Amino acid sequence: MNFASDNVFGIHPKIFAAIEAANKGTSASYGYDDYSKRAEEKLSAVFGKEVRAFLVTTGTAANGLALSALSPSYGAVLTHAEAHAFVDECNSPEMFTGGAKIIGLHGIEGKITPAIVEKALKGFIRAEHDPKPSALSITNSTELGRVYTPSEIKALSAVLKPRKMKFHTDGARFANAVASLGVAPAEITWKSGIDVMSFGGTKNGGMLLEAVVFFDTALAEDFVYRRMRGGQLVSKSRYLGAQMLAYLEGDLWLDNARIANGYAKRLADGLKTSNRIRIPLPTDANEVFAVVPRALHDKLQAAGAHYYDWMPDTLGPDGVKDDEIFVRFVLSYATPPEDVDRFIGLVKELSSA
């Protein structure tokens, strides 16, 4: 029963087969292969507009490189205080941008609102003594499993554009957000004001499957140099392109996300039947957050359940009691459904023991 992350599972068989097929014969290298070119074309079709897409191997690299195209070294990038770009990437965005300041903003359920951005920007009163507000980065779905809607993204964009700030999405679980909302990918990206995104696939069936996708293609000027300098230009790039093509073919990416989201809802609904566990956040995508009595948590872990405890401050000072623990479960398309049912049954069994 492993609910620690969607990273714990392997490669989807169709993607694995695509890698194996690409292994035959010879191919151009360093991004000039046919697979990578067709992957960019396919991403343009998925988003309904011509994009520039650059394949990379990690989400950390995708975020850092994307932000380096949006902010100068003397700039400031606003993001959520729990976002990967702020707390989980070991100052990688600062490195890739050459020193831009990443500023974490506090918002409920992992979301940033226009009011939060407006308040933060009012603090930039010292002219060149402050960094220059250059970009906003949101995570969709968020670190707490919530999903930004088109209207929410448009409202944020309306704050940024008059100030000539750029807009980035960390889409490590973008497929889960699209599947949750049931909208076209364009609706929560370029049509709502997003300039560039980190398009993730590794968590959803890929092996090394990330891309920096530019909707404002003018921002992609010189990005080939940024990717090369950042050590992300893969020589045998056909293997990245082949993965992306298989991921997008027949909407595999959305099918996987729908399955994962469905398992998350199944788990959340099951846990809600327990009078010992609280589900304080809606389950929009493939993450479930719960407040569990510490004694029950210990028993569940001892019984072989794997999941992470989470930052209790997320729920505020009164959200988690001393004898409780705030935890996260992540579901994958590859999660055995019997594990979900087994865990729900285990909760009921141990709660009554």
Side-chain angles (χ1 to χ4, degrees):
M1 298 176 290
N2 197 327
F3 309 110
S5 174
D6 33 16
N7 284 319
V8 303
F9 293 95
I11 308 168
H12 191 280
K14 290 184 178 179
I15 296 177
F16 198 87
I19 296 171
E20 187 175 27
N23 200 42
K24 296 178 174 65
T26 62
S27 175
S29 52
Y30 294 111
Y32 293 99
D33 59 284
D34 183 59
Y35 296 95
S36 296
K37 292 175 183 177
R38 287 192 289 125
E40 184 174 55
E41 293 169 359
K42 184 65 175 176
L43 282 164
S44 293
V46 164
F47 285 102
K49 81 181 303 285
E50 183 178 353
V51 303
R52 291 300 315 279
F54 300 84
L55 302 176
V56 296
T57 62
T58 72
T60 297
N63 282 341
L65 287 168
L67 294 175
S68 77
L70 304 185
S71 176
S73 59
Y74 49 84
V77 176
L78 307 181
T79 191
H80 195 276
E82 294 182 26
H84 261 244
F86 187 62
V87 296
D88 278 297
E89 295 177 344
C90 195
N91 298 348
S92 173
E94 288 90 337
M95 179 191 73
F96 278 115
T97 58
K101 190 175 184 66
I102 312 299
I103 299 175
L105 308 178
H106 293 277
I108 63 171
E109 300 181 357
K111 285 187 176 183
I112 297 170
T113 65
I116 291 171
V117 176
E118 291 275 16
K119 181 179 179 181
L121 291 175
K122 286 179 181 178
F124 289 82
I125 59 175
R126 301 169 187 83
E128 68 271 21
H129 294 270
D130 283 323
K132 179 181 179 181
S134 300
L136 173 69
S137 176
I138 62 171
T139 307
N140 205 10
S141 57
T142 76
E143 305 296 345
L144 288 175
R146 299 307 312 279
V147 170
Y148 281 97
T149 65
S151 60
E152 288 174 320
I153 300 171
K154 288 175 182 176
L156 287 167
S157 180
V159 175
L160 304 178
K161 298 309 178 182
R163 295 172 168 84
K164 298 182 179 180
M165 294 175 65
K166 302 302 181 184
F167 204 172
H168 167 259
T169 290
D170 176 350
R173 294 187 175 97
F174 180 71
N176 302 96
V178 174
S180 174
L181 290 168
V183 300
E187 297 299 322
I188 52 172
T189 53
W190 64 272
K191 284 189 176 181
S192 294
I194 301 296
D195 297 301
V196 59
M197 76 170 301
S198 304
F199 182 85
T202 305
K203 297 179 186 297
N204 195 34
M207 181 175 69
L208 303 169
L209 186 55
E210 311 289 328
V212 180
V213 180
F214 287 90
F215 305 109
D216 182 348
T217 55
L219 294 172
E221 183 180 1
D222 294 336
F223 194 79
V224 289
Y225 297 99
R226 294 184 187 277
R227 181 174 63 171
M228 179 69 204
R229 187 170 182 263
Q232 284 294 314
L233 180 58
V234 176
S235 58
K236 295 183 179 180
S237 51
R238 58 176 148 165
Y239 299 111
L240 300 184
Q243 285 184 76
M244 185 61 76
L245 287 170
Y247 185 57
L248 300 176
E249 182 65 32
D251 283 343
L252 176 65
W253 67 297
L254 292 177
D255 289 343
N256 286 356
R258 291 186 187 106
I259 293 169
N261 290 1
Y263 288 160
K265 187 176 187 305
R266 183 167 169 174
L267 177 62
D269 288 345
L271 295 179
K272 287 176 184 176
T273 65
S274 170
N275 59 7
R276 303 286 308 282
I277 292 178
R278 291 183 284 122
I279 307 294
L281 301 168
T283 302
D284 287 347
N286 68 321
E287 296 176 280
V288 180
F289 291 84
V291 178
V292 182
R294 191 171 293 275
L296 176 59
H297 160 76
D298 292 341
K299 292 178 182 178
L300 290 168
Q301 299 264 290
H306 297 281
Y307 51 87
Y308 284 134
D309 56 329
W310 212 245
M311 295 167 280
D313 291 347
T314 296
L315 298 180
D318 301 320
V320 182
K321 300 175 183 176
D322 290 342
D323 60 348
E324 295 178 324
I325 185 168
F326 184 45
V327 300
R328 183 194 76 167
F329 306 89
V330 186
L331 286 297
S332 164
Y333 74 94
T335 299
E338 57 270 23
D339 280 5
V340 177
D341 295 336
R342 181 184 167 203
F343 183 79
I344 294 170
L346 188 62
V347 167
K348 293 178 181 178
E349 176 188 337
L350 293 177
S351 296
S352 60

